[in-house]
Structures are given as C-alpha cells and as structure tokens.
Amino acid sequence: MLNSVPLRQIYGAPLGGIGGGTITRGWRGEFCRWQLNPGMYTYDNVTVDQFTVCLRKNGQTVYQQVLSVDKPHTLQGWNWGYCGRYAFYHALYPRAWTVYELPGQNVTLTCRQISPIIPHDYKDSSLPVSLFVWDVENQNDYDLEVAIMFTIQNGVGTKDDTQGGHWNEPFYVEKKGEKVSGVLLHHCISVNPYTFGISVKEKAGTTVSHLTAFNPSGMGHEVWRDLMQDGELDSPAGKSCPTEKGEKTAAAVAASCVVRARGQHCLEFCLAWDMPKIYFGSREKEHLRRYTRYFGSSGDAASELCHYALTHYKEWEQKIDNWQRPILENRNLPDWYKSALFNELYFIADGGTIWIEVPSNTDITGGKRPEDGGLPALPDVLREYGRFAYLEGQEYRMYNTYDVHYYASFALNMLWPYLELSLQYDIAASAVKEDKTQILYLKSGKMGNVKTKDVVPHDVGDPDDEPWERPNAYLIHDTADWKDLNPKFVLLVYRDYYSTKNDVYLRDMWPVCKAVMESEQRFDKNGDGLIENSGYGDQTYDGWIVTGPSAYSGGLWLASLCVMCKMAKILQDDFHYQKYFSILEKGKEAYNRILWNGKYYNYDSSGKYYSNSVMADQCCGQWLIRACDLGDGEFEVFPESHVRSALETIFSLNVMRFADGTMGAVNGMRPDGTVDNSSVQSNEVWIGVVYSLAATMIQEGLTEEGFKTAEGCYRTAWERLGMSFQTPEAYCEKKVYRSLAYMRPLSIWSMQYALDNYKGKPSASAGGSLQNISNQI
C-alpha cells in the first residue's frame, strides 16, 4: 500500500501516452524513472540511455560529445561531462525542449520531446511512444556533417537486465512511401515481457545507421570509435545472440545529415515500448492494454508503433497546439499558472496509470442488474473506452483512491470525459458489492469487512495485488464508516452528467446514487438532516480528528442532497425529489445553526479547543455544486453571503497569515491567526486542496484571491523545493513534505473549469475582472 520514495530534484516531463507505461526523462537528459509494470516504479538512472552528437568537417570528426553532464564509472571511452551552462530545459507537458549550444562549435541543437497526450483522443493518447525531434542549426560559414546517436539498454536498470536471454534485431518498415528503420530490443522475462524500439525516420538528406548490440557495462570503445570514424554506425545485419546470465546488452541508432552553412536540418527519432499483455502483482488475470485494440497483442508491435508515431507526430503537435494556444496566448493569465496547468497534467499518464480493454463477458457487478439496484453487466462506456485507473500517488499505491479523485477528476472530466465515466462505472459497481473477508484495520486494531455493501470504496485495489477484484487496499481505517465517499460519488455523478449530458449514464447511476445515499443516512443520528462525524479521521483528512456535525463532511452531505434533488427532477422522480428536498431543508437549518459563527463555518461541533478552527476546505461542497451551475434559488445550499465571508476569512488567515501569503493555504488556522497544530494534517498545505479552493474563489468572484492562493503552491513545490513532475500531496511551512507524485494536484484543472464558466461575479477587491491578473500576481 505504501512505497516510500526519496526526493530527487531531477525529473522532467515523462514519456508516453496514457496507460501503456511511462518513462521519465530528467531535465539533464537522463532516463531515470520507469513504470512499465503497471503501477510499479523503479528509479534507476541507466547510464547508456543517452543521445550523442558527432560533428564532422571536410571528412574529419571535429567534435563528439555525449549530451549529458554526468561522468559515470562505466563507458569511460565516451566523452562525458557536457557543460551544463550551455544547455537549457523547458517543459510544457506533453512536450519538452532541450537546447544545446555546443561550446566553440557555432552549432545549436534543439531536442523537442513529444508524447501523444491529446484531449478527447482515445486511440493515439493510449500509445506507448515518445518522439525526439532534433533541429540542428549550423551558424558557421561552412557545411557540417552532423550525426545524432541514440543508445539504449535492453532493460530499465534492474536485476532483470542481467538474467540472460535478451536479444536485439534491426528492423525496417515502409508504408505508403514512409520509411522507418531502427533496432528492436526484446526483453524476455517470464512476467510482462516487452520490446523496446528505437528508430529514425528516413528521408532525403538523412542517413540512418545502427549497431544491433554492444556491451553497456564496458568502456564502450567499439560504439564511440564506430561513430567517430565516419559519423555512421556499421549497421550489421541479423539478430544478436541472446545474452548470457550476468550479461547486459544495448543498441544504438544514428541519423546523419549534411547541414549547409547558415542552414538547418531536422532529425526525427522515436522510442516505443510494447508490453501488450500485463499481469498485476497477484498474477491471477491477464489483461490487454488499450493500445492493443489498434496494434495487436502478440508482442510484435514495436516497429509498427515507431512507424505510426514518426508519421503522425506532426498531427499530434497540431492538436496539442490547438488545445494549449488559447490559454498560452491569454495575456490575462500569469505565466506560472500556464506552466502549472499543463505540467501538473503529467500525472494522468505517470500516476502508475493503466488503461486496459474489458473482456466482452465481463459482469462488473457480479449479476446485480439495474432493477435490483445494480448496473448493466458491461456498460457501453466500458466496452468501447476500456477501463482506466491511476494511483493515489507513486508512494501511496492504491488505484482510483476516490476521496482524492474527487478533486483530481476535473482533468479527466474536461479532457477525456469517457475515461471519467468509465471510472465512475467501476466505482459504482464496487459500491453495490460486498466482501465479508475479515481484515485488521491498523488504527482501530479491530477486524472488519473488506468491503461493505452500498458504500463507495476507498480505492479499487493495489497494483501489487489484483485491482478491481479486491478493492480497498487502504488498511488504516475501515472506510465503510467514512463520511465523505458516498456524497463525493453522488456529486461527481451529477457533475459528469452536467458536462456530458449522457442520459444513459445518469439513468444507470441513479439506483446506485439512491443506495449510497440511503447508506449515508445512518450517520444522521438524531434525524436533523445532518450527518455526524465519529471522533476520528473518518474522511480524506484521515489524520485529523473530527467529531459531530462538521464543516467539511456536513457540507459535502448537503451538496449531495442538492444534486440528488436536481437528478430526481431531471428523471421526473417526484417521490425522491420530495424526500431529498425535505432532508436538505432540515440539514441546511442544522448546519447553519450548529456551525456558522458569523464569519465562517466552524471545523466541527466537538466543543474542543480546535473546533472553531478555520478549515481551508470548508466550502468543498459549494465548489462542486457551483461548478454544476447550482447553488442559487431552488438549489441554494449555502447562503451566498456565508460562502463569501468564509472564503474571505480563509484568504485572510489560512493564506495571508501563513508564510506571509507565499505558500498557499494551510489546512487549519486558529481564529487568532496561528496555525492549528492539533493534528499531523491540520498544519499541512495540501496542494490539490489549495487548487480547488482557488477554483472556488474564482467561481464566487474572488478571482485575484484565487490566483494568489494557488500561486503559493506552485512557487513552493515547483520552484523553491524543486519538485517538478513529482508534486507532493502536502508540505509544511518548514522542512516537511509528504507523498511525492500525488493525484490530488490535478485539481488545478478545476481552476480552468471555473475560468471557462466564469460568471463575472464582482470581486471584493477589484471588480472581479480577469484583466491585469498577470500583472498583479
């Protein structure tokens, strides 16, 4: 369930599409984080995985350099130690650019890294490929021969690389006049075998050569001298011999060209990896990755993937440009926000993500049909778009952790809505099932069921076990008693319907929504329409004790009643409309009477010294209903004046009185402006919560306050702490952070959602205009 990862301030934009595995390339050029086995990460820098440049003038090599600042102990026959002052890195996911100004050569190389992360595309976005497009600029008054060599090891730097039996072979693919050649590296392990493909697109003026196999553990003279001799590799024919135990192997591909004086040339490389059939840790079931729908599952697709990527990447870039340009060219948005918005999206692919096909004989509820409160055996969304899962975090190894997905879900909802619907069907299917297997819950020390009927699961399982078959890998609390999971599910059901207008989805989900709301009502102990917390961390803040009616759980409950009323009205279910409306009216009265103190909603009603703390996340329910254009008139839940006052208080205390307003919003703040230190989570900043809080502020017209609030998190995590492409769940004001590479910060897409649906409410400070935000922040 937990997998501690050390902080390494090295990561750049990851490679690959969604659900086929990812490889992270550091900003210094190293290949350093690997997730080919689903949900399981390794963190090895593989020395030989590099790009090398060779410059030749008048038939003589004048410069040959590995484009790496490292000076490793292996491959010492290569020229390492490129001076970092002559290289620059920039990432705007799913692309990244590295510029090398070769010292003393008057040559500039720009490597553009491209992965197929394309909104509303459910084919190419699934492909396990990445492109490296090299633009070579010769600023000299004479011609130069330029070669770029790409070397890669057969493996990812683990002990499997030396188990023996791995082999490589050259390949050539020509289709419709487009030619691609390179090397396939077959990694022949017993579970989840795979093949790497490295390749170059052949075209006029470009010569492609290769070296099928070489030893990456030695000095490397044979490769280095081969390239230096004539700017090309020897290109031997035939397969390599399988490796012996204890032996490693690697391969190389090179592209060479003549760049005229003051001219330019482009060299196009691709890296593909083909692991079509996968097992999770239990090795119980074989699954097919999504891309096998288009490229087959026989394990021989790497060459075709390379060809497809090299002949389609320009279309991908055009689609990426069309998606990103309106935001990037909006001068009213600050640059830090543009960076955060797109770069936080890395987690959609690099969250241990898996996207698999669903067999046609699957019954997701185990026989429980809609008339019995269940679902269709295999809903059309799952049949057509497959099954999707991502981890709570690279350290918190649980798939589709739902209390966290509630925040992160805006990214899927806006960009790949059918994956969001697919995830919702899986959560609904799990909700209506039960598993009476007894397990020990760590916090209470008590035994309990793995899964209780009509309760939304905490997660759909651990990738080291068998996800979807055995949910609730989380063992700290029995989440059947958590107060936020059921309301969050109901809220997202309506949000997703509101966004997609998918009537079939709404009708399928309605029986499940009624069932989980009926289950949730057991937490209303006194019948006042408001649920009560149970004196421990029984919601997403699982280390922060909460007792009785509370701002967070109570607000989510009331918001879920609101959307139940709305859904009942759409479905013309007057009985349930009246039922939920009646509970909502009672609950609103109790919520305001018990928790409203004239400025904000108290943390809880325990009467303890921290019960009147200011919780940054107290408007979490309002956030969702306002995003669905509810919260006014018939569907008002929280008085607008209360929401405004609460947000202004949070901004004044949790944001501006914490670290001088430079680190976002602390979870809990005392009314006197001191941090709430009553728990291990009250004094943390949760980045994903801050982004959702900022979205709430924008929705309520506090636009400048929202951007100021969110900016502190970006500046802290990405700039001051160097946590690029590994945004944590939490940090404290000094010296402490928790759970690197976490799901919840995807909630920054709710800020964009709020901006896209901006209602123009007046701001308390500057008239509510987006104009001049970029200048003021």
Side-chain angles (χ1 to χ4, degrees), residues 62-87:
V62 295
Y63 181 86
Q64 188 161 298
Q65 174 71 52
V66 183
L67 296 172
S68 169
V69 298
D70 290 340
K71 296 180 179 180
H73 297 296
T74 57
L75 297 172
Q76 292 187 3
W78 295 13
N79 185 23
W80 295 89
Y82 183 84
C83 181
R85 288 179 296 175
Y86 296 96

Short mmCIF file of all heavy atoms in Angstrom, two decimals, residues 62-87:
data_model
loop_
_atom_site.label_atom_id
_atom_site.label_comp_id
_atom_site.label_asym_id
_atom_site.label_seq_id
_atom_site.Cartn_x
_atom_site.Cartn_y
_atom_site.Cartn_z
N VAL A 62 35.37 16.55 -35.81
CA VAL A 62 35.95 17.67 -35.07
C VAL A 62 35.37 17.80 -33.67
O VAL A 62 35.92 18.54 -32.83
CB VAL A 62 35.76 19.01 -35.84
CG1 VAL A 62 36.54 18.97 -37.15
CG2 VAL A 62 34.29 19.30 -36.09
N TYR A 63 34.28 17.10 -33.42
CA TYR A 63 33.62 17.23 -32.10
C TYR A 63 32.70 16.03 -31.91
O TYR A 63 31.90 15.70 -32.79
CB TYR A 63 32.80 18.52 -32.05
CG TYR A 63 32.09 18.80 -30.74
CD1 TYR A 63 32.74 19.45 -29.69
CD2 TYR A 63 30.75 18.46 -30.55
CE1 TYR A 63 32.07 19.75 -28.50
CE2 TYR A 63 30.07 18.74 -29.38
CZ TYR A 63 30.74 19.39 -28.35
OH TYR A 63 30.09 19.69 -27.18
N GLN A 64 32.83 15.34 -30.78
CA GLN A 64 31.91 14.25 -30.47
C GLN A 64 31.67 14.25 -28.96
O GLN A 64 32.62 14.22 -28.18
CB GLN A 64 32.46 12.90 -30.94
CG GLN A 64 31.45 11.76 -30.79
CD GLN A 64 31.80 10.57 -31.65
OE1 GLN A 64 31.84 10.67 -32.88
NE2 GLN A 64 32.06 9.43 -31.03
N GLN A 65 30.41 14.31 -28.56
CA GLN A 65 30.09 14.57 -27.15
C GLN A 65 28.80 13.87 -26.77
O GLN A 65 27.79 13.97 -27.48
CB GLN A 65 29.94 16.08 -26.94
CG GLN A 65 29.47 16.50 -25.57
CD GLN A 65 30.53 16.31 -24.50
OE1 GLN A 65 31.66 16.78 -24.65
NE2 GLN A 65 30.19 15.62 -23.42
N VAL A 66 28.81 13.17 -25.62
CA VAL A 66 27.57 12.70 -25.01
C VAL A 66 26.85 13.91 -24.44
O VAL A 66 27.46 14.73 -23.74
CB VAL A 66 27.84 11.68 -23.89
CG1 VAL A 66 26.52 11.15 -23.33
CG2 VAL A 66 28.69 10.53 -24.39
N LEU A 67 25.58 14.05 -24.73
CA LEU A 67 24.83 15.23 -24.29
C LEU A 67 24.31 15.00 -22.87
O LEU A 67 23.11 14.99 -22.60
CB LEU A 67 23.72 15.54 -25.27
CG LEU A 67 24.22 15.94 -26.67
CD1 LEU A 67 23.07 16.04 -27.65
CD2 LEU A 67 25.01 17.24 -26.61
N SER A 68 25.27 14.83 -21.97
CA SER A 68 24.98 14.58 -20.56
C SER A 68 26.04 15.23 -19.71
O SER A 68 27.23 15.19 -20.06
CB SER A 68 24.94 13.08 -20.29
OG SER A 68 24.91 12.81 -18.90
N VAL A 69 25.62 15.82 -18.60
CA VAL A 69 26.58 16.43 -17.68
C VAL A 69 27.24 15.39 -16.78
O VAL A 69 28.19 15.71 -16.04
CB VAL A 69 25.90 17.51 -16.81
CG1 VAL A 69 25.35 18.62 -17.68
CG2 VAL A 69 24.79 16.91 -15.93
N ASP A 70 26.77 14.16 -16.80
CA ASP A 70 27.29 13.12 -15.91
C ASP A 70 28.70 12.70 -16.30
O ASP A 70 29.13 12.86 -17.46
CB ASP A 70 26.37 11.90 -15.93
CG ASP A 70 25.03 12.17 -15.27
OD1 ASP A 70 24.94 13.11 -14.48
OD2 ASP A 70 24.06 11.43 -15.55
N LYS A 71 29.39 12.09 -15.34
CA LYS A 71 30.70 11.49 -15.57
C LYS A 71 30.71 10.12 -14.90
O LYS A 71 31.22 9.95 -13.80
CB LYS A 71 31.81 12.37 -15.00
CG LYS A 71 31.92 13.74 -15.69
CD LYS A 71 33.03 14.59 -15.09
CE LYS A 71 33.13 15.93 -15.79
NZ LYS A 71 34.21 16.78 -15.20
N PRO A 72 30.09 9.13 -15.54
CA PRO A 72 29.88 7.82 -14.90
C PRO A 72 31.15 6.98 -14.85
O PRO A 72 32.16 7.30 -15.48
CB PRO A 72 28.82 7.18 -15.80
CG PRO A 72 29.08 7.76 -17.15
CD PRO A 72 29.51 9.18 -16.90
N HIS A 73 31.06 5.87 -14.11
CA HIS A 73 32.20 4.97 -13.97
C HIS A 73 32.24 3.94 -15.09
O HIS A 73 33.27 3.27 -15.25
CB HIS A 73 32.13 4.26 -12.61
CG HIS A 73 32.23 5.20 -11.45
ND1 HIS A 73 33.37 5.94 -11.19
CD2 HIS A 73 31.35 5.53 -10.47
CE1 HIS A 73 33.18 6.68 -10.11
NE2 HIS A 73 31.97 6.45 -9.64
N THR A 74 31.16 3.78 -15.82
CA THR A 74 31.15 2.88 -16.97
C THR A 74 31.20 3.70 -18.26
O THR A 74 31.02 4.92 -18.25
CB THR A 74 29.90 2.00 -16.97
OG1 THR A 74 28.73 2.85 -16.95
CG2 THR A 74 29.87 1.09 -15.76
N LEU A 75 31.47 3.01 -19.36
CA LEU A 75 31.54 3.65 -20.68
C LEU A 75 32.51 4.84 -20.65
O LEU A 75 32.25 5.90 -21.21
CB LEU A 75 30.15 4.10 -21.14
CG LEU A 75 29.12 2.97 -21.33
CD1 LEU A 75 27.74 3.55 -21.59
CD2 LEU A 75 29.54 2.04 -22.46
N GLN A 76 33.66 4.62 -20.04
CA GLN A 76 34.62 5.71 -19.90
C GLN A 76 35.36 6.00 -21.19
O GLN A 76 36.13 6.97 -21.26
CB GLN A 76 35.60 5.39 -18.76
CG GLN A 76 34.91 5.42 -17.40
CD GLN A 76 35.89 5.27 -16.25
OE1 GLN A 76 37.10 5.21 -16.45
NE2 GLN A 76 35.37 5.22 -15.04
N GLY A 77 35.11 5.20 -22.21
CA GLY A 77 35.66 5.51 -23.52
C GLY A 77 34.87 6.58 -24.25
O GLY A 77 35.24 6.99 -25.35
N TRP A 78 33.77 7.03 -23.66
CA TRP A 78 32.94 8.08 -24.25
C TRP A 78 33.32 9.43 -23.66
O TRP A 78 33.87 9.52 -22.56
CB TRP A 78 31.46 7.81 -23.98
CG TRP A 78 30.92 6.56 -24.64
CD1 TRP A 78 31.63 5.55 -25.21
CD2 TRP A 78 29.55 6.20 -24.75
NE1 TRP A 78 30.80 4.57 -25.69
CE2 TRP A 78 29.50 4.94 -25.42
CE3 TRP A 78 28.36 6.79 -24.37
CZ2 TRP A 78 28.30 4.29 -25.70
CZ3 TRP A 78 27.16 6.14 -24.65
CH2 TRP A 78 27.13 4.91 -25.32
N ASN A 79 33.01 10.47 -24.37
CA ASN A 79 33.31 11.83 -23.91
C ASN A 79 32.12 12.37 -23.13
O ASN A 79 31.14 12.85 -23.70
CB ASN A 79 33.62 12.73 -25.12
CG ASN A 79 34.05 14.12 -24.70
OD1 ASN A 79 34.53 14.33 -23.59
ND2 ASN A 79 33.89 15.09 -25.59
N TRP A 80 32.19 12.28 -21.80
CA TRP A 80 31.10 12.70 -20.92
C TRP A 80 31.36 14.12 -20.41
O TRP A 80 32.34 14.76 -20.75
CB TRP A 80 30.99 11.76 -19.73
CG TRP A 80 30.59 10.36 -20.09
CD1 TRP A 80 31.43 9.32 -20.42
CD2 TRP A 80 29.27 9.85 -20.18
NE1 TRP A 80 30.70 8.19 -20.70
CE2 TRP A 80 29.37 8.48 -20.56
CE3 TRP A 80 28.01 10.39 -19.97
CZ2 TRP A 80 28.26 7.66 -20.73
CZ3 TRP A 80 26.90 9.58 -20.14
CH2 TRP A 80 27.02 8.23 -20.51
N GLY A 81 30.47 14.58 -19.54
CA GLY A 81 30.68 15.84 -18.84
C GLY A 81 30.38 17.07 -19.66
O GLY A 81 31.11 18.06 -19.59
N TYR A 82 29.29 17.04 -20.43
CA TYR A 82 28.88 18.24 -21.17
C TYR A 82 28.64 19.38 -20.17
O TYR A 82 28.04 19.18 -19.11
CB TYR A 82 27.60 17.96 -21.95
CG TYR A 82 27.13 19.12 -22.81
CD1 TYR A 82 27.66 19.31 -24.08
CD2 TYR A 82 26.16 20.01 -22.36
CE1 TYR A 82 27.25 20.37 -24.88
CE2 TYR A 82 25.74 21.07 -23.14
CZ TYR A 82 26.29 21.26 -24.40
OH TYR A 82 25.88 22.30 -25.18
N CYS A 83 29.10 20.55 -20.51
CA CYS A 83 28.99 21.69 -19.60
C CYS A 83 27.55 22.19 -19.54
O CYS A 83 26.99 22.63 -20.55
CB CYS A 83 29.91 22.81 -20.03
SG CYS A 83 29.86 24.24 -18.93
N GLY A 84 26.95 22.11 -18.36
CA GLY A 84 25.54 22.45 -18.21
C GLY A 84 25.22 23.90 -18.50
O GLY A 84 24.06 24.24 -18.77
N ARG A 85 26.21 24.78 -18.50
CA ARG A 85 25.95 26.19 -18.79
C ARG A 85 25.53 26.40 -20.25
O ARG A 85 25.00 27.46 -20.59
CB ARG A 85 27.20 27.03 -18.50
CG ARG A 85 27.49 27.20 -17.02
CD ARG A 85 28.74 28.03 -16.81
NE ARG A 85 29.93 27.34 -17.34
CZ ARG A 85 31.15 27.88 -17.39
NH1 ARG A 85 31.32 29.13 -16.95
NH2 ARG A 85 32.17 27.20 -17.86
N TYR A 86 25.76 25.37 -21.07
CA TYR A 86 25.43 25.50 -22.49
C TYR A 86 24.19 24.70 -22.87
O TYR A 86 24.01 24.34 -24.04
CB TYR A 86 26.63 25.05 -23.33
CG TYR A 86 27.84 25.92 -23.14
CD1 TYR A 86 28.85 25.56 -22.25
CD2 TYR A 86 27.99 27.11 -23.85
CE1 TYR A 86 29.97 26.36 -22.06
CE2 TYR A 86 29.11 27.92 -23.67
CZ TYR A 86 30.08 27.55 -22.77
OH TYR A 86 31.18 28.35 -22.59
N ALA A 87 23.35 24.43 -21.90
CA ALA A 87 22.12 23.70 -22.17
C ALA A 87 20.97 24.31 -21.38
O ALA A 87 21.18 24.83 -20.26
CB ALA A 87 22.27 22.22 -21.82
#
